Amino acid sequence: MPGPGSVLVMVDRLGPAKLAAAGESFGISQLRVANDSDDANAPPALRLDVMNGEPITLRWEPPQPGDTMLMWLFPILILGLLVFAYITRFNLRATLAAARKADASHNEARRFQAELVFQATHDSLTGLPNRPLLEERLKQACLDAQQAGGHLAVMLIDLDGFKPINDNFSHYLGDQVLVEVAKRMLAIVRPGDTVARMGGDEFIVILPGVANEHAVSTIAERLLADIADPYQIDTIDLRVTASVGVVMSDGDIEQPLQLIRQADAAMYQAKQEGRNNASWYTRGLSQQEYEMTQLRNDLQHAIDTHALELHYQPQVDSGTRKVAGAEALLRWSHPVRGPVSPAYFIPIAETTGQIIPLTLWVLDTACRHLRELTDAGIALPCIAVNISSTHLLRASFVPTIQAALDKHRLRADQLELEITETVLMDHADRALDTLHQLKNMGVKLAIDDFGVGFSSMNYLKVLPINKIKIDRSFIKGIDHNAQDAAICQGIISMAHHLNLRITAEGVEREGQRDFLVKNQCDELQGYLFAKPMNFTDLCSLINQLNPASTDADLI
Ligand SMILES: Nc1nc2c(ncn2[C@@H]2O[C@H](COP(=O)(O)O[C@H]3[C@@H](O)[C@H](n4cnc5c(=O)[nH]c(N)nc54)O[C@@H]3COP(=O)(O)O)[C@@H](O)[C@H]2O)c(=O)[nH]1
């Protein structure tokens, strides 16, 4: 342009991009030319008048408070939200899992608790209710019968011939028989009835709301028949029968447990009537049988509470007059009846199996006493213990004897076992095997009550015994009865020819003693010398008769 100065005019097209860029450089966001349709007055806007033309409106977005912060925070917020969502999801899942676990462990605890209750109230072998649960159900059945005016029946079932299965085969086999018996009984009774195991081979059935005696008899007959069916266990055929005692009641009884005792008395009667049959309890059931049942229970209590005592009767050497041994004899002082003779309660214990714990106690006590004597230097060469056939025929008998000797550090020849001849006659083969094992150990063996049973002279040749004890019925008349004297002389002579020692039982008079000494009977036992006495008195007596031992072997 002509003139002293010049002006440089540059023209550029103000398009949207340039306009926005220009706005950005001044911190104005989204600067643009507003469309016609935009509200030209709406702030923020700038109206530019254009020569010869339409005015132009410039518009931009004013910055909002917190926009920048929002711009920074937004991603953090999103991230935070994502993290929160993740954590929440994780927590939710963990909570759900924990809830599920808690639920499961709660169920488990409930199952465990139910299991504990079951174990406490049921027999572990058969799964049948045990005695405490049975008693509860019996009380309830009595109550129901009283309230509804009905009847209940109680049956006590005792297996016949079960013990020989346990003794001759194995406890495993015996257990299987019990399980099978339980199943057979359960198959006979109705859902509301109870079949319980009392222990051993004894079961109780409670029939609540039973219609009449005929219905009870029918069930008893079915029980007898089904139990008597053969059992096949591990290819072995076994048979047992049952003796059933039955009692019916209208529930009006002061002590419901008395029904069990009555059923027991009836069962005992069934046994005596030949077994494999059912017998009803009636008021006419003899007092004696009822008392015997009570006695069995009382004896069990005496065993459990160690209320028995062991007495000893010295056996005197006829030559030296010293105590050669002592026979251990059980004594039971009943809390109400007073002293009960072993001649009365031992046969009961033999039928009930109580003889096993009884004999174990006698054996242990006698061995302990002999150890005490030996330790105190009191000379007692030997202690004799009576053994019943049921025990002798058990497979565990020999180890039991060895364990008692070991426990009390006794030599085998310090123990003598007295066995009656009936066991040898009835079970000769099995008894012989056991006796040989005992003899090989060094345990002394004596035949008790010799002469009263069906004595076969032949078995004396084969039995590994050391001694014969002549029954006191033969000793009774030796000083005035020629026949008794002759029999006695014969037995002594025969024993000596067989190299056996001989003891006379029941020596009460000097005349008897003189006869026995003259005829060289080795040992004498009887009231003439001493009645059975407690351990303390035995110690004094031996101290008096046997001067302190210098035999090192005895100590
Ligand atoms: N299996 C077990 N049997 C046992 C045990 N303890 C005892 N018994 C047996 O009981 C029966 C009776 O015994 P008890 O009443 O003790 O009688 C014994 C003696 O007291 C009695 N005796 C001894 N001397 C005399 C006497 O001079 N006169 C007389 N009238 N009686 C006398 O004899 C019994 C001992 O007999 P025995 O055993 O045959 O030698 C009896 O059969 C005992 O065996 C036990 O723990 N287990």
Side-chain angles (χ1 to χ4, degrees):
M1 210 179 277
S6 53
V7 176
L8 179 61
V9 176
M10 291 183 71
V11 177
D12 196 1
R13 189 172 177 272
L14 197 60
K18 185 147 274 176
L19 194 60
E24 291 294 328
S25 59
F26 291 101
I28 297 169
S29 150
Q30 293 189 34
L31 183 65
R32 62 187 189 281
V33 175
N35 292 333
D36 285 350
S37 56
D38 286 347
D39 180 1
N41 298 319
L46 179 65
R47 193 181 169 92
L48 301 176
D49 288 325
V50 176
M51 273 192 304
N52 306 322
E54 288 288 310
I56 299 171
T57 304
L58 290 181
R59 191 181 299 285
W60 64 92
E61 296 296 327
Q64 297 294 322
D67 265 6
T68 318
M69 203 164 49
L70 204 63
M71 213 168 69
W72 283 100
L73 279 181
F74 189 69
I76 295 172
L77 270 174
I78 294 294
L79 192 68
L81 272 174
L82 283 173
V83 169
F84 177 75
Y86 179 77
I87 290 173
T88 307
R89 182 168 169 264
F90 177 81
N91 281 345
L92 206 65
R93 286 177 68 169
T95 309
L96 280 173
R100 269 198 298 271
K101 208 168 155 189
D103 206 31
S105 73
H106 184 64
N107 286 344
E108 184 62 21
R110 275 185 17 207
R111 250 200 313 276
F112 184 62
Q113 199 182 1
E115 178 78 6
L116 281 183
V117 172
F118 187 85
Q119 278 176 14
T121 51
H122 289 77
D123 166 49
S124 58
L125 177 68
T126 57
L128 294 177
N130 61 12
R131 194 175 176 125
L133 182 56
L134 164 85
E135 289 181 2
E136 210 174 283
R137 297 221 179 138
L138 183 59
K139 285 175 197 158
Q140 190 58 49
C142 282
L143 214 65
D144 292 347
Q146 276 178 54
Q147 284 166 358
H151 285 90
L152 74 146
V154 177
M155 295 183 188
L156 194 145
I157 296 115
D158 188 278
L159 302 184
D160 312 317
F162 176 73
K163 283 187 184 71
I165 292 178
N166 253 350
D167 293 347
N168 298 342
F169 295 97
S170 66
H171 284 262
Y172 166 76
L173 232 66
D175 283 354
Q176 297 317 302
V177 171
L178 292 175
V179 170
E180 184 57 30
V181 167
K183 278 189 200 157
R184 292 184 188 183
M185 289 200 287
L186 282 172
I188 293 169
V189 299
R190 298 166 306 176
D193 300 340
T194 293
V195 179
R197 185 175 172 216
M198 293 278 277
D201 56 354
E202 223 171 53
F203 299 84
I204 291 266
V205 173
I206 305 174
L207 308 171
V210 74
N212 50 36
E213 289 189 1
H214 177 71
V216 179
S217 287
T218 308
I219 294 173
E221 289 303 322
R222 279 199 61 194
L223 284 169
L224 286 170
D226 285 13
I227 291 172
D229 273 348
Y231 297 78
Q232 202 187 37
I233 293 159
D234 288 355
T235 71
I236 300 174
D237 283 324
L238 297 163
R239 275 180 188 271
V240 289
T241 55
S243 296
V244 181
V246 190
V247 62
M248 241 177 122
S249 168
D250 57 5
D252 187 16
I253 187 163
E254 225 169 84
Q255 290 180 323
L257 295 189
Q258 206 169 335
L259 292 175
I260 295 182
R261 287 195 282 275
Q262 291 174 348
D264 194 20
M267 183 280 292
Y268 196 73
Q269 187 171 264
K271 287 255 185 227
Q272 289 188 326
E273 283 169 359
R275 303 171 177 228
N276 193 21
N277 78 89
S279 177
W280 282 74
Y281 175 81
T282 55
R283 297 213 184 278
L285 188 65
S286 83
Q287 185 65 15
Q288 194 193 348
E289 279 156 3
Y290 187 66
E291 276 177 14
M292 203 175 268
T293 309
Q294 297 273 39
L295 205 68
R296 289 165 57 191
N297 297 335
D298 293 348
L299 180 59
Q300 190 58 46
H301 184 69
I303 296 170
D304 295 342
T305 56
H306 307 288
L308 298 158
E309 218 192 323
L310 206 53
H311 280 201
Y312 298 92
Q313 187 175 37
Q315 296 165 332
V316 179
D317 186 293
S318 64
T320 64
R321 305 287 166 101
K322 287 184 183 177
V323 179
E327 179 182 0
L329 294 161
L330 261 171
R331 291 292 175 263
W332 178 26
S333 183
H334 188 279
V336 179
R337 296 161 178 249
V340 183
S341 166
Y344 186 61
F345 71 80
I346 293 284
I348 298 175
E350 279 171 345
T351 60
T352 59
Q354 289 166 315
I355 192 68
I356 306 293
L358 270 179
T359 311
L360 291 177
W361 181 81
V362 170
L363 195 61
D364 185 63
T365 309
C367 289
R368 177 166 53 78
H369 282 158
L370 185 54
R371 167 52 40 206
E372 282 175 30
L373 285 173
T374 310
D375 286 347
I378 300 172
L380 179 65
C382 179
I383 212 140
V385 169
N386 287 284
I387 300 295
S388 79
S389 59
T390 358
H391 204 174
L392 181 83
L393 298 172
R394 285 208 163 194
S396 60
F397 185 70
V398 176
T400 299
I401 298 294
Q402 186 64 60
L405 292 171
D406 292 346
K407 180 178 172 192
H408 298 287
R409 295 177 289 113
L410 296 178
R411 293 192 318 265
D413 65 358
Q414 289 179 275
L415 179 65
E416 183 168 88
L417 303 181
E418 293 192 8
I419 301 144
T420 53
E421 50 188 347
T422 26
V423 56
L424 305 168
M425 302 308 302
D426 294 349
H427 311 275
D429 289 348
R430 279 169 51 220
L432 203 61
D433 185 45
T434 304
L435 295 181
H436 274 294
Q437 290 183 51
L438 293 165
K439 174 85 179 195
N440 290 341
M441 277 165 60
V443 173
K444 289 183 188 159
L445 301 169
I447 295 195
D448 202 4
D449 305 336
F450 184 80
V452 289
F454 171 65
S455 311
S456 158
M457 298 303 147
N458 212 23
Y459 76 83
L460 284 181
K461 280 194 311 192
V462 293
L463 286 175
I465 51 170
N466 307 78
K467 189 195 267 185
I468 287 176
K469 292 184 77 180
I470 315 176
D471 188 70
R472 68 167 174 270
S473 55
F474 295 107
I475 305 299
K476 215 171 183 175
I478 45 171
D479 52 352
H480 58 265
N481 180 313
Q483 280 167 330
D484 278 353
I487 291 172
C488 232
Q489 278 172 321
I491 296 175
I492 295 171
S493 165
M494 178 196 63
H496 284 160
H497 278 99
L498 290 169
N499 271 334
L500 301 172
R501 280 181 75 76
I502 188 129
T503 301
E505 295 182 272
V507 182
E508 292 179 343
R509 295 184 300 275
E510 289 177 350
Q512 292 168 318
R513 178 199 61 200
D514 294 344
F515 176 90
L516 291 161
V517 171
K518 193 171 143 210
N519 284 282
Q520 293 169 346
C521 180
D522 302 300
E523 286 168 17
L524 312 172
Q525 180 179 348
Y527 292 170
L528 178 68
F529 305 97
K531 286 194 169 180
M533 60 188 76
N534 66 28
F535 180 59
T536 314
D537 291 344
L538 179 76
C539 294
S540 314
L541 185 90
I542 302 174
N543 256 333
Q544 192 190 319
L545 292 175
N546 296 12
S549 169
T550 49
D551 185 346
D553 269 7
L554 284 178
I555 300 169

